[in-house]
Amino acid sequence: RKDETTNKQLHRDEVPGLRGLPVGLQRLLQEELFTPVITAHALFAHVQKTDPELHQELCAIALREESFALGTEIFRIGKEAAALYFITNGKLSYDFANSQEHDLPTRVYAGRWISESSLWLSWQHRGRLQVISPLAEQIKLELTPFLDCVEDSPSRYAMRKYAGLYLKAALSMYAETELSDLFGTPDVAEQITDTIRSARQDAETLAKSFGTLLVLFHADEVLIEHAFWAWKEALRGSRCSLVRVLRFCLTPRKSVPRMKSSVLALRAGRSWGSL
């Protein structure tokens, strides 16, 4: 709903009556508000279908609404990136630091997201994002609560896989110095997520094949993605025996798929190298 005097979208925190609602109902309202926006991104649409609990946690904890007036600087060159921005209203201008002298700033409109690299890579902003319309609004996915939600989620292996493929796509499409905050288009997200979906389908087939034995070995909580990587490891060694697969299923994995060396790297610390 919009404020008729300012044409500004009323945010949840600005409606006093909502604050007194039960927490469960507030979470449902947040999910209703944020889902149409974030599921425009293929990965988060996949999460909504395959891990609804994580989707609900992201809506309740990691996402928030923001409004900005004309001229507001959202981020600047060199600042440590810590959020993915879904633009929901207004118009912004992105000025890439490494653009050619004759290049004009890129216009960013509602329906687009920007700074996806902040979720997956060790990333500092490579340009300046500024509001150029009377009003701009966005939904912000913040890095730290995002990692908190993912850390204990069944989807953490899929997220790790996505991060690795995202880095690989970035390095294959651009020279490192040419990569901007705009990387991570819907096409890129869809292609990477398709790989995740295919991996999940293969893993489900594997899990069904070994389901009874996994239960007998008290491995009923083994994640589907974990089983898939066990199968891949077994194939890589050309020894796809049942004992080998079970050994890998029951041994925690602590590494992500290897990527070629580059200045550009996956986020370190409590993120994709360690989850």
Side-chain angles (χ1 to χ4, degrees):
R1 182 179 174 181
K2 290 188 176 182
D3 185 323
E4 295 180 357
T5 60
T6 63
N7 202 37
K8 172 182 175 294
Q9 190 76 31
L10 283 175
H11 295 171
R12 178 178 52 86
D13 294 339
E14 298 171 340
V15 182
L18 296 180
R19 298 171 189 169
L21 294 176
V23 173
L25 185 54
Q26 289 190 39
R27 289 172 68 100
L28 286 175
L29 290 173
Q30 287 173 283
E31 185 178 354
E32 186 76 17
L33 172 68
F34 294 136
T35 294
V37 177
I38 67 170
T39 53
H41 189 296
L43 176 65
F44 296 109
H46 176 69
V47 167
Q48 183 199 18
K49 293 178 181 179
T50 60
D51 193 350
E53 185 175 342
L54 173 60
H55 174 72
Q56 292 164 6
E57 285 296 300
L58 291 175
C59 290
I61 296 171
L63 292 161
R64 66 186 180 94
E65 302 167 281
E66 293 182 329
S67 296
F68 300 101
L70 175 66
T72 303
E73 183 181 77
I74 308 300
F75 58 72
R76 67 172 69 90
I77 299 168
K79 184 179 178 182
E80 188 69 25
L84 164 62
Y85 305 93
F86 293 90
I87 311 303
T88 57
N89 185 30
K91 183 167 60 175
L92 301 94
S93 175
Y94 177 75
D95 192 5
F96 181 39
N98 290 342
S99 60
Q100 300 297 318
E101 187 175 345
H102 60 276
D103 290 344
L104 296 174
T106 301
R107 297 290 188 262
V108 181
Y109 298 95
R112 184 164 186 176
W113 61 81
I114 188 169
S115 188
E116 183 178 350
S117 296
S118 64
L119 299 184
W120 318 117
L121 308 180
S122 213
W123 188 258
Q124 291 182 332
H125 289 300
R126 300 188 172 190
R128 181 172 182 259
L129 184 65
Q130 185 176 25
V131 177
I132 58 172
S133 58
L135 175 73
E137 296 172 304
Q138 65 186 21
I139 290 175
K140 180 179 180 181
L141 176 57
E142 297 179 293
L143 176 63
T144 299
F146 170 69
L147 292 176
D148 289 340
C149 291
V150 170
E151 188 168 20
D152 296 321
S153 162
S155 293
R156 64 187 181 275
Y157 290 99
M159 294 290 185
R160 278 173 45 181
K161 178 66 174 175
Y162 187 99
L165 291 172
Y166 183 92
L167 172 59
K168 186 175 182 179
L171 294 174
S172 67
M173 296 173 67
Y174 294 94
E176 201 274 335
T177 56
E178 295 175 349
L179 197 63
S180 78
D181 296 282
L182 297 176
F183 182 73
T185 62
D187 286 344
V188 170
E190 184 63 44
Q191 290 173 10
I192 297 175
T193 306
D194 276 344
T195 302
I196 302 295
R197 293 192 193 103
S198 297
R200 183 180 178 87
Q201 290 169 359
D202 290 343
E204 286 173 343
T205 300
L206 177 68
K208 289 175 183 177
S209 299
F210 295 109
T212 302
L213 285 171
L214 290 175
V215 172
L216 289 174
F217 277 81
H218 305 287
D220 52 303
E221 295 182 358
V222 172
L223 298 175
I224 288 177
E225 287 82 2
H226 194 178
F228 174 72
W229 283 112
W231 173 65
K232 293 291 285 186
E233 288 284 355
L235 287 181
R236 190 176 294 119
S238 300
R239 293 176 59 192
C240 196
S241 68
L242 177 59
V243 172
R244 184 175 176 83
V245 171
L246 285 174
R247 185 184 300 126
F248 274 98
C249 283
L250 298 175
T251 303
R253 296 182 55 87
K254 295 185 178 179
S255 61
V256 295
R258 293 181 179 178
M259 297 293 159
K260 61 184 179 181
S261 178
S262 169
V263 174
L264 202 63
L266 295 177
R267 280 196 169 274
R270 190 186 61 87
S271 63
W272 311 120
S274 58
L275 284 184

mmCIF file of all heavy atoms in Angstrom, residues 156-157 160 222 226 229 246-255 274-275:
data_model
loop_
_atom_site.group_PDB
_atom_site.id
_atom_site.type_symbol
_atom_site.label_atom_id
_atom_site.label_comp_id
_atom_site.label_asym_id
_atom_site.label_seq_id
_atom_site.Cartn_x
_atom_site.Cartn_y
_atom_site.Cartn_z
ATOM 1 N N ARG A 156 22.617 -25.630 2.663
ATOM 2 C CA ARG A 156 23.944 -25.014 2.685
ATOM 3 C C ARG A 156 24.881 -25.617 1.633
ATOM 4 O O ARG A 156 25.723 -24.911 1.095
ATOM 5 C CB ARG A 156 24.563 -25.113 4.073
ATOM 6 C CG ARG A 156 24.861 -26.500 4.600
ATOM 7 C CD ARG A 156 25.323 -26.401 6.060
ATOM 8 N NE ARG A 156 25.655 -27.695 6.649
ATOM 9 C CZ ARG A 156 24.774 -28.506 7.197
ATOM 10 N NH1 ARG A 156 23.489 -28.160 7.210
ATOM 11 N NH2 ARG A 156 25.143 -29.652 7.731
ATOM 12 N N TYR A 157 24.704 -26.906 1.321
ATOM 13 C CA TYR A 157 25.556 -27.509 0.300
ATOM 14 C C TYR A 157 25.203 -26.957 -1.083
ATOM 15 O O TYR A 157 26.085 -26.722 -1.913
ATOM 16 C CB TYR A 157 25.441 -29.031 0.332
ATOM 17 C CG TYR A 157 26.069 -29.640 1.565
ATOM 18 C CD1 TYR A 157 25.294 -30.014 2.647
ATOM 19 C CD2 TYR A 157 27.448 -29.819 1.639
ATOM 20 C CE1 TYR A 157 25.866 -30.557 3.788
ATOM 21 C CE2 TYR A 157 28.033 -30.360 2.776
ATOM 22 C CZ TYR A 157 27.230 -30.727 3.849
ATOM 23 O OH TYR A 157 27.803 -31.257 4.976
ATOM 24 N N ARG A 160 26.753 -23.568 -1.317
ATOM 25 C CA ARG A 160 28.188 -23.672 -1.580
ATOM 26 C C ARG A 160 28.448 -23.969 -3.049
ATOM 27 O O ARG A 160 29.346 -23.408 -3.669
ATOM 28 C CB ARG A 160 28.798 -24.785 -0.720
ATOM 29 C CG ARG A 160 29.127 -24.366 0.696
ATOM 30 C CD ARG A 160 29.574 -25.537 1.547
ATOM 31 N NE ARG A 160 30.542 -26.391 0.850
ATOM 32 C CZ ARG A 160 31.057 -27.496 1.396
ATOM 33 N NH1 ARG A 160 30.690 -27.865 2.605
ATOM 34 N NH2 ARG A 160 31.928 -28.210 0.726
ATOM 35 N N VAL A 222 21.578 -37.753 6.496
ATOM 36 C CA VAL A 222 22.532 -37.385 5.449
ATOM 37 C C VAL A 222 21.815 -36.543 4.402
ATOM 38 O O VAL A 222 20.757 -36.915 3.918
ATOM 39 C CB VAL A 222 23.125 -38.647 4.773
ATOM 40 C CG1 VAL A 222 23.962 -38.261 3.552
ATOM 41 C CG2 VAL A 222 23.992 -39.404 5.767
ATOM 42 N N HIS A 226 24.886 -34.012 -0.009
ATOM 43 C CA HIS A 226 26.048 -34.723 0.511
ATOM 44 C C HIS A 226 26.187 -36.073 -0.201
ATOM 45 O O HIS A 226 27.285 -36.472 -0.622
ATOM 46 C CB HIS A 226 25.871 -34.914 2.014
ATOM 47 C CG HIS A 226 27.137 -35.325 2.718
ATOM 48 N ND1 HIS A 226 27.183 -35.502 4.080
ATOM 49 C CD2 HIS A 226 28.369 -35.590 2.264
ATOM 50 C CE1 HIS A 226 28.413 -35.864 4.426
ATOM 51 N NE2 HIS A 226 29.149 -35.929 3.341
ATOM 52 N N TRP A 229 27.589 -35.615 -3.691
ATOM 53 C CA TRP A 229 29.042 -35.421 -3.757
ATOM 54 C C TRP A 229 29.786 -36.723 -3.457
ATOM 55 O O TRP A 229 30.865 -36.980 -4.004
ATOM 56 C CB TRP A 229 29.474 -34.327 -2.782
ATOM 57 C CG TRP A 229 29.156 -32.974 -3.316
ATOM 58 C CD1 TRP A 229 28.237 -32.090 -2.836
ATOM 59 C CD2 TRP A 229 29.712 -32.367 -4.475
ATOM 60 N NE1 TRP A 229 28.189 -30.970 -3.629
ATOM 61 C CE2 TRP A 229 29.083 -31.111 -4.637
ATOM 62 C CE3 TRP A 229 30.672 -32.768 -5.407
ATOM 63 C CZ2 TRP A 229 29.398 -30.252 -5.681
ATOM 64 C CZ3 TRP A 229 30.979 -31.889 -6.451
ATOM 65 C CH2 TRP A 229 30.347 -30.665 -6.581
ATOM 66 N N LEU A 246 29.180 -45.252 0.758
ATOM 67 C CA LEU A 246 28.726 -45.090 2.136
ATOM 68 C C LEU A 246 29.790 -44.406 2.993
ATOM 69 O O LEU A 246 29.473 -43.566 3.835
ATOM 70 C CB LEU A 246 28.384 -46.458 2.738
ATOM 71 C CG LEU A 246 27.073 -47.077 2.254
ATOM 72 C CD1 LEU A 246 26.928 -48.489 2.800
ATOM 73 C CD2 LEU A 246 25.894 -46.219 2.669
ATOM 74 N N ARG A 247 31.052 -44.726 2.754
ATOM 75 C CA ARG A 247 32.123 -44.097 3.525
ATOM 76 C C ARG A 247 32.124 -42.584 3.292
ATOM 77 O O ARG A 247 32.248 -41.796 4.220
ATOM 78 C CB ARG A 247 33.468 -44.692 3.130
ATOM 79 C CG ARG A 247 34.625 -44.153 3.987
ATOM 80 C CD ARG A 247 35.974 -44.683 3.517
ATOM 81 N NE ARG A 247 36.001 -46.144 3.600
ATOM 82 C CZ ARG A 247 36.318 -46.930 2.562
ATOM 83 N NH1 ARG A 247 36.612 -46.403 1.393
ATOM 84 N NH2 ARG A 247 36.340 -48.222 2.714
ATOM 85 N N PHE A 248 31.939 -42.181 2.043
ATOM 86 C CA PHE A 248 31.904 -40.747 1.748
ATOM 87 C C PHE A 248 30.638 -40.101 2.317
ATOM 88 O O PHE A 248 30.660 -38.970 2.800
ATOM 89 C CB PHE A 248 31.974 -40.507 0.232
ATOM 90 C CG PHE A 248 33.374 -40.448 -0.302
ATOM 91 C CD1 PHE A 248 33.950 -41.556 -0.896
ATOM 92 C CD2 PHE A 248 34.119 -39.288 -0.187
ATOM 93 C CE1 PHE A 248 35.236 -41.511 -1.380
ATOM 94 C CE2 PHE A 248 35.412 -39.232 -0.669
ATOM 95 C CZ PHE A 248 35.979 -40.353 -1.271
ATOM 96 N N CYS A 249 29.514 -40.833 2.280
ATOM 97 C CA CYS A 249 28.267 -40.278 2.823
ATOM 98 C C CYS A 249 28.376 -39.998 4.313
ATOM 99 O O CYS A 249 27.801 -39.039 4.818
ATOM 100 C CB CYS A 249 27.102 -41.255 2.581
ATOM 101 S SG CYS A 249 26.478 -41.251 0.891
ATOM 102 N N LEU A 250 29.108 -40.845 5.015
ATOM 103 C CA LEU A 250 29.178 -40.735 6.461
ATOM 104 C C LEU A 250 30.355 -39.889 6.940
ATOM 105 O O LEU A 250 30.538 -39.713 8.132
ATOM 106 C CB LEU A 250 29.271 -42.136 7.075
ATOM 107 C CG LEU A 250 28.061 -43.041 6.786
ATOM 108 C CD1 LEU A 250 28.308 -44.436 7.324
ATOM 109 C CD2 LEU A 250 26.803 -42.443 7.376
ATOM 110 N N THR A 251 31.119 -39.336 6.002
ATOM 111 C CA THR A 251 32.249 -38.480 6.361
ATOM 112 C C THR A 251 31.938 -37.046 5.962
ATOM 113 O O THR A 251 31.707 -36.780 4.787
ATOM 114 C CB THR A 251 33.543 -38.930 5.645
ATOM 115 O OG1 THR A 251 33.788 -40.288 5.975
ATOM 116 C CG2 THR A 251 34.728 -38.057 6.063
ATOM 117 N N PRO A 252 31.872 -36.090 6.913
ATOM 118 C CA PRO A 252 31.542 -34.697 6.580
ATOM 119 C C PRO A 252 32.519 -34.117 5.570
ATOM 120 O O PRO A 252 33.721 -34.326 5.647
ATOM 121 C CB PRO A 252 31.656 -33.971 7.937
ATOM 122 C CG PRO A 252 31.511 -35.043 8.951
ATOM 123 C CD PRO A 252 32.111 -36.271 8.351
ATOM 124 N N ARG A 253 31.973 -33.375 4.592
ATOM 125 C CA ARG A 253 32.802 -32.687 3.616
ATOM 126 C C ARG A 253 33.054 -31.272 4.098
ATOM 127 O O ARG A 253 32.168 -30.608 4.580
ATOM 128 C CB ARG A 253 32.113 -32.638 2.253
ATOM 129 C CG ARG A 253 31.895 -34.001 1.628
ATOM 130 C CD ARG A 253 31.253 -33.857 0.262
ATOM 131 N NE ARG A 253 32.046 -32.984 -0.592
ATOM 132 C CZ ARG A 253 33.063 -33.394 -1.340
ATOM 133 N NH1 ARG A 253 33.422 -34.661 -1.315
ATOM 134 N NH2 ARG A 253 33.724 -32.549 -2.097
ATOM 135 N N LYS A 254 34.270 -30.783 3.943
ATOM 136 C CA LYS A 254 34.614 -29.461 4.438
ATOM 137 C C LYS A 254 35.241 -28.573 3.371
ATOM 138 O O LYS A 254 35.807 -27.531 3.672
ATOM 139 C CB LYS A 254 35.585 -29.561 5.617
ATOM 140 C CG LYS A 254 34.966 -30.239 6.831
ATOM 141 C CD LYS A 254 35.897 -30.229 8.010
ATOM 142 C CE LYS A 254 35.243 -30.868 9.225
ATOM 143 N NZ LYS A 254 36.134 -30.886 10.399
ATOM 144 N N SER A 255 35.135 -28.980 2.120
ATOM 145 C CA SER A 255 35.738 -28.172 1.071
ATOM 146 C C SER A 255 34.758 -27.962 -0.062
ATOM 147 O O SER A 255 33.843 -28.746 -0.260
ATOM 148 C CB SER A 255 37.009 -28.832 0.520
ATOM 149 O OG SER A 255 36.692 -30.094 -0.043
ATOM 150 N N SER A 274 33.703 -22.828 4.519
ATOM 151 C CA SER A 274 33.633 -23.540 5.793
ATOM 152 C C SER A 274 32.254 -24.079 6.134
ATOM 153 O O SER A 274 32.134 -24.926 7.005
ATOM 154 C CB SER A 274 34.091 -22.612 6.930
ATOM 155 O OG SER A 274 33.289 -21.446 6.964
ATOM 156 N N LEU A 275 31.202 -23.572 5.476
ATOM 157 C CA LEU A 275 29.866 -24.060 5.823
ATOM 158 C C LEU A 275 29.720 -25.515 5.438
ATOM 159 O O LEU A 275 30.204 -25.918 4.395
ATOM 160 C CB LEU A 275 28.807 -23.220 5.090
ATOM 161 C CG LEU A 275 28.530 -21.835 5.643
ATOM 162 C CD1 LEU A 275 27.394 -21.186 4.880
ATOM 163 C CD2 LEU A 275 28.173 -21.870 7.110
#
